[in-house]
Amino acid sequence: MSVDEPVPPPFAHRGMPTLTTRSPEWEPEVDARLARVGTRIWIVADVFFFAAWFFAFFYLRALNNNYDWLPAGTTHPTRAIGAIIVLLAIVAAGLYWAGARAIVTQRATARLFFWLALLAGVLCFVVQIYEFKNLGFDPQQGGGFPSVFIGLKGVWLFQLTGAMFWLATQIAQARPLGDATIRPKSVVTFGNFMLFLAAIALVSYVVLYFV
Amino acid sequence: MATATLGTGGPTLQASERQMVLPTNLLTGIVLAAVGYYVGVQIGNGFGFNDGLNTGVLLGYTFGSVMFLVGVGFANYPLARLFGWPIAPQSAGDEYRGAWRFLNLSLDHKVIGIQYLVAMLMAMFFGGIGAMLIRTNLLSPDQLVVPPDKYLVLVSMHSVMMIFVASAAIVGPFGNFFVPYMIGTNRMAFPRLEALSFWLVPPAIVILLAAPLFGGFPTGWTGYAPLSEQAGQGFDSYIVGFALIGTALCVSGVNMLTTVISLRAPGMTWTRLPIFVWGVFSASILGTFAAPILASAVIMQGFDRSMNTSFFISSNGGSPYLWENLFWFFGHPEVYIFILPAFGIVMELIPHFARKPLWGYRTAVVGLLGVTLLSWFVWQHHLFVSGIAPALRPFYMFSTEMISIPTGIVFLVAFGTLWRAKISMTVPMLFCLGFLFNFLIGGLSGVFLSDVPSDVTLHGSYFSMAHFHFTIVGGEIFAIVAAIYYWFPKMTGRMLNMTLGKIHFWWMMIAFNLAFMPLFAAGILDMPRRVSTYAPSLQGLNDWVSFWAYLLFASMLLFAVNVIWSWFFNPKVAPADPWHVRSIEWTLPTPLPRRNFERIPTFTSGPYDYGNPSPRPAADLGSEPAPA
Ligand SMILES: [Cu+2]
């Protein structure tokens, strides 16, 4: 394969992708491999990120400083709502996973699954906000459990939002000559992160509502 | 309109003519940052929390940083994806030539390396000014320049700024620039993440420098609760600054690890990896996985200070120990993020200038990875006198002292390489030897601090301050300076003046040791850290220290003059291989071509095969294109 010096396209912006390359190191296969390795590393890093919050949970719960782990009058939030959030996260991840598997053979089906996954994710977001609004306690009044509850769920929600944004870009790119079509393996890789977020939601649910 | 084929036999794509409304560049970034800050402050104050207006400042910094990144151009790619515009793998082809590219978002690892180098040197200058003010204040046993509370602010600014520098000043400039060459690739795994890791740094520095406008913060770099909870809005700089730097460390690590794992050229086996790459790799492991802990911890601080949660407030069910544990669980790996790449530099340079193979290469790798592993199990040595359960102390004492074994291996390897070698005393080599001397003192003094009985006496004194300055300044900074002298010709195409370099070395070495050695004595004589006054009997000692500290700063000014003069006013282009070494980056022409390798090289032997009468070349670079 011959390697051409890339020619800048006339209307490219810095940071914008360009279509000028024929060099072997930018082949979709290479990118897919890098995405797979990078996503795994990223997920492990994210495990450390969430580990800090779970550590805070068990540490503050064990210390129960000033008997204020659960301030007087505070109850655990309703388990049913928490369960809905977890279920929606799992459904979103599952739908995405199914869509990613279909992206090569049945793009229309994949797009449908992606849309449904996005819908589940957005619903998950909405239910979580609803839960924040109806906690049964006020984190501004302090307390170990309320702090960890708000914090852990807050940072998780932030990551879910980012994941939904990326999912939306996958939908936009799941068309002929779109990036998701050209690099289907990278699409599958992102499903690992969705599954990871769902798993964190599940573990958080067990810890925050049952422990 | 440019057209190009994507891959072999792939579909033909056409470049999109659509573009963002705003031209994205540094200027747009600054303007949007100001807008973002204003909007953030308004929104934050609009919540009406009983928070001392911290929410506004926190959101202001956060929005400002995000909008800065948007303005610089980081939103272009995600938005183009979202709009469904054609996306293709990023090439290096969309870069501007000329000096302007250094002030803008670039995805070229060479440009990013230089951006990092300049930013780090500037931040080091700011931190150094802080050090000079501290030493000026300590000329007299009672406060001279600033009142006690402002003295704490000064110490905090100096420490956090220098921690920013120490975290990124090797992997940022030299890792980004040279790792792709050393492993034989034309690309980084994630060029956008690599660029992001750099562009997070300027806002972090600006936000930190803004802290004094809000009264600064009194916590030092450790940010301990409850002091941090009580601090004014200045502490919000600490939170957002460290969140940005932590993110930079993490994304830089993901990029670097993936690059080294997946993009090594044929023949570049793990056992041929240059030891510098191993240093960067092991530091990246720590950065990738420790920085998220820091991010979590500072987010908790942010929640405490804005929404009035109580992660770190014991009267409300929280605990300051939670902060101390999370912080040091990050913080101890963090100090190895500083030093492992410095080990890498020293072990990389010594064989080249000793003209001998790196003695015990595999042992050296085991040493680096051993430090990487052990550094997760030692963090409570920072809490020996904080009231942790006494039964925990022996374990952490033992694990900390264990770390001197892999660290000792590094020394063994260095001295084994120097043994009976014909050492060429170039300036980079001098700084490496200076590193060995200084870090030996830094490391040995660390053993006293890991030892519980002596730590009980020495903790919080100038002894520990002298210890970590010997490791970070005498160690890491010396290694950075060595790396600059060594790689500057390849990075900039200009040699530094080596006569000035030799003067710089002896000046810096003597001034550093004479400034910091007496501080061990000051610590044993019970002079506490972070206090603006001291016993009058220690004034002679402190004046001596300040005198040599000024000279140390002056030696760095000489270095700055050398760098600026050689870079911008010296017309002479450096030879391609001024050191006559085997490492692959020196076999390439200077100035470096835009594309690293015309053809991906095949590595045929290790980088340190000196002393072999007929050595094979380190790599087959090939002149004709690779077969199809
Ligand atoms: Cu430590």
Side-chain angles (χ1 to χ4, degrees):
Chain A
M1 179 196 302
S2 71
V3 178
D4 302 326
E5 182 69 17
V7 185
F11 295 101
H13 268 300
R14 286 173 300 280
M16 280 284 289
T18 56
L19 306 171
T20 59
T21 174
R22 286 188 59 183
S23 42
E25 63 264 21
W26 297 99
E27 290 288 320
E29 284 303 311
V30 178
D31 273 338
R33 186 157 51 90
L34 294 171
R36 198 168 64 238
V37 175
T39 307
R40 282 177 190 166
I41 295 171
W42 178 259
I43 286 175
V44 178
D46 220 3
V47 167
F48 277 83
F49 179 83
F50 283 110
W53 299 87
F54 289 114
F55 176 76
F57 180 93
F58 289 106
Y59 191 74
L60 296 183
R61 184 173 177 274
L63 283 177
N64 195 10
N65 270 341
N66 214 21
Y67 303 103
D68 222 6
W69 166 248
L70 268 179
T74 301
T75 49
H76 281 54
T78 322
R79 285 176 184 174
I81 294 185
I84 293 171
I85 293 167
V86 177
L87 276 179
L88 284 170
I90 292 172
V91 165
L95 285 168
Y96 182 85
W97 190 83
R101 288 291 178 283
I103 185 99
V104 179
T105 48
Q106 302 155 289
R107 203 169 48 241
T109 318
R111 274 177 71 98
L112 177 66
F113 276 130
F114 286 173
W115 273 112
L116 291 174
L118 183 64
L119 185 68
V122 171
L123 269 179
C124 183
F125 184 93
V126 171
V127 177
Q128 183 60 73
I129 295 293
Y130 171 81
E131 188 189 43
F132 280 157
K133 296 248 172 207
N134 302 276
L135 282 174
F137 55 78
D138 181 2
Q140 289 208 57
Q141 301 307 315
F145 176 78
S147 299
V148 178
F149 186 91
I150 286 287
L152 175 52
K153 289 214 149 203
V155 293
W156 183 84
L157 190 64
F158 181 77
Q159 295 206 9
L160 179 80
T161 311
M164 286 307 110
F165 175 85
W166 197 254
L167 173 51
T169 73
Q170 299 285 37
I171 297 173
Q173 293 291 333
R175 50 167 184 72
L177 298 183
D179 186 55
T181 316
I182 295 170
R183 293 187 283 182
K185 286 184 181 167
S186 305
V187 177
V188 176
T189 298
F190 176 62
N192 294 338
F193 184 70
M194 296 279 293
L195 285 174
F196 166 76
L197 275 188
I200 292 288
L202 185 61
V203 178
S204 310
Y205 179 61
V206 173
V207 168
L208 289 174
Y209 295 78
F210 292 91
V211 175
Chain B
M1 173 176 287
T3 55
T5 320
L6 191 74
T8 41
T12 303
L13 286 183
Q14 293 201 312
S16 172
E17 282 185 41
R18 284 172 286 194
Q19 49 180 286
M20 299 300 157
V21 180
L22 279 174
T24 48
N25 56 40
L26 181 59
L27 194 65
T28 316
I30 292 169
V31 172
L32 287 188
V35 175
Y37 176 78
Y38 178 79
V39 172
V41 169
Q42 296 306 317
I43 292 177
N45 292 344
F47 286 131
F49 291 148
N50 177 22
D51 61 350
L53 297 181
N54 282 306
T55 315
V57 181
L58 282 170
L59 282 188
Y61 287 157
T62 310
F63 283 31
S65 306
V66 171
M67 292 309 285
F68 174 75
L69 295 174
V70 169
V72 168
F74 280 95
N76 293 2
Y77 173 70
L79 287 179
R81 288 187 69 94
L82 187 64
F83 300 152
W85 296 358
I87 301 291
Q90 180 65 51
S91 78
D94 61 343
E95 302 297 343
Y96 284 93
R97 285 293 206 178
W100 183 235
R101 74 197 146 131
F102 293 108
L103 289 173
N104 278 298
L105 172 58
S106 168
L107 302 182
D108 183 343
H109 70 93
K110 301 182 274 299
V111 176
I112 295 171
I114 292 196
Q115 288 172 328
Y116 251 120
L117 181 66
V118 174
M120 287 294 131
L121 289 176
M122 283 167 66
M124 205 192 286
F125 181 71
F126 293 139
I129 291 196
M132 291 305 99
L133 291 172
I134 291 171
R135 282 321 312 176
T136 305
N137 201 66
L138 293 174
L139 281 171
S140 142
D142 39 25
Q143 61 266 31
L144 184 73
V145 182
V146 291
D149 58 325
K150 291 289 174 289
Y151 177 81
L152 268 179
V153 170
L154 193 54
V155 171
S156 303
M157 293 295 291
H158 164 71
S159 60
V160 177
M161 185 64 80
M162 287 308 203
I163 292 291
F164 286 3
V165 172
S167 311
I170 298 181
V171 176
F174 307 110
N176 282 320
F177 201 105
F178 288 109
V179 164
Y181 287 110
M182 289 181 158
I183 65 173
T185 173
N186 281 342
R187 67 172 291 188
M188 278 287 191
F190 306 112
R192 276 184 209 85
L193 288 188
E194 187 193 19
L196 180 65
S197 86
F198 166 72
W199 285 97
L200 287 164
V201 174
I205 291 173
V206 169
I207 285 170
L208 177 62
L209 288 175
L213 302 177
F214 294 97
F217 55 95
T219 63
W221 88 281
T222 51
Y224 272 14
L227 201 51
S228 58
E229 303 275 354
Q230 297 153 359
Q233 293 160 351
F235 190 75
D236 298 328
S237 285
Y238 177 102
I239 293 176
V240 180
F242 262 121
L244 296 174
I245 290 292
T247 311
L249 279 176
C250 186
V251 295
S252 154
V254 170
N255 173 50
M256 202 58 87
L257 293 179
T258 311
T259 303
V260 175
I261 290 171
S262 303
L263 288 172
R264 281 168 296 121
M268 180 40 74
T269 56
W270 286 103
T271 50
R272 277 184 188 154
L273 212 55
I275 200 73
F276 173 67
V277 180
W278 273 114
V280 170
F281 187 80
S282 43
S284 296
I285 294 176
L286 294 176
T288 310
F289 303 134
I293 306 269
L294 171 75
S296 288
V298 292
I299 290 171
M300 290 177 198
Q301 282 279 22
F303 283 163
D304 271 12
R305 291 168 55 84
S306 59
M307 293 193 298
N308 284 319
T309 57
S310 53
F311 284 98
F312 308 126
I313 304 169
S314 20
S315 58
N316 272 352
S319 169
Y321 284 115
L322 176 61
W323 169 266
E324 297 187 10
N325 276 296
L326 291 176
F327 180 80
W328 284 116
F329 190 75
F330 150 79
H332 192 87
E334 164 83 340
V335 304
Y336 287 104
I337 295 171
F338 304 163
I339 208 65
L340 286 175
F343 286 164
I345 288 174
V346 170
M347 289 194 288
E348 172 77 24
L349 266 54
I350 283 182
H352 292 321
F353 291 113
R355 293 290 189 271
K356 271 181 69 187
L358 183 65
W359 187 81
Y361 169 89
R362 287 175 195 227
T363 321
V365 174
V366 168
L368 292 174
L369 294 179
V371 172
T372 307
L373 182 68
L374 279 177
S375 63
W376 296 100
F377 302 101
V378 300
W379 80 95
Q380 293 223 348
H381 61 213
H382 296 277
L383 307 179
F384 280 156
V385 295
S386 300
I388 63 167
L392 286 174
R393 287 163 157 191
F395 171 80
Y396 287 100
M397 176 169 132
F398 180 70
S399 61
T400 306
E401 286 171 359
M402 283 278 286
I403 263 197
S404 53
I405 295 172
T407 313
I409 286 178
V410 172
F411 271 82
L412 194 68
V413 167
F415 284 113
T417 310
L418 289 170
W419 179 252
R420 291 186 172 176
K422 281 205 176 67
I423 302 169
S424 63
M425 284 292 177
T426 58
V427 175
M429 187 62 165
L430 285 173
F431 276 96
C432 288
L433 298 176
F435 171 99
L436 292 177
F437 179 84
N438 297 334
F439 196 84
L440 188 67
I441 295 171
L444 290 180
S445 57
V447 177
F448 292 89
L449 294 168
S450 72
D451 196 57
V452 175
S454 43
D455 185 63
V456 168
T457 310
L458 297 171
H459 188 95
S461 77
Y462 263 75
F463 188 92
S464 86
M465 182 274 194
H467 153 70
F468 67 75
H469 278 82
F470 259 91
T471 56
I472 300 178
V473 184
E476 190 191 3
I477 301 289
F478 268 66
I480 291 171
V481 174
I484 293 176
Y485 278 107
Y486 178 67
W487 275 313
F488 198 79
K490 197 48 87 180
M491 292 175 88
T492 66
R494 296 289 182 278
M495 284 297 274
L496 287 170
N497 183 308
M498 290 302 154
T499 312
L500 278 183
K502 284 204 168 130
I503 297 171
H504 174 209
F505 169 73
W506 288 110
W507 186 348
M508 187 175 172
M509 184 73 184
I510 292 168
F512 168 76
N513 274 284
L514 291 182
F516 283 92
M517 199 81 82
L519 290 175
F520 287 115
I524 293 170
L525 293 169
D526 284 343
M527 181 170 164
R529 295 165 65 187
R530 298 179 180 175
V531 179
S532 64
T533 58
Y534 53 84
S537 60
L538 294 175
Q539 183 171 8
L541 200 152
N542 272 284
D543 289 355
W544 166 278
V545 169
S546 292
F547 173 76
W548 287 104
Y550 294 141
L551 284 182
L552 176 62
F553 187 75
S555 80
M556 290 306 277
L557 289 182
L558 177 74
F559 179 53
V561 168
N562 194 351
V563 167
I564 292 169
W565 181 82
S566 304
W567 198 346
F568 301 109
F569 301 103
N570 178 8
K572 197 162 156 272
V573 177
D577 180 13
W579 312 111
H580 308 292
V581 295
R582 285 178 56 82
S583 188
I584 187 169
E585 71 270 20
W586 298 105
T587 63
L588 300 169
T590 300
L592 286 159
R594 166 101 129 251
R595 198 176 151 78
N596 295 357
F597 302 100
E598 270 313 303
R599 188 175 71 104
I600 295 299
T602 303
F603 286 85
T604 50
S605 65
Y608 311 114
D609 283 2
Y610 294 104
N612 184 341
S614 55
R616 283 180 295 173
D620 170 19
L621 289 167
S623 47
E624 68 279 5

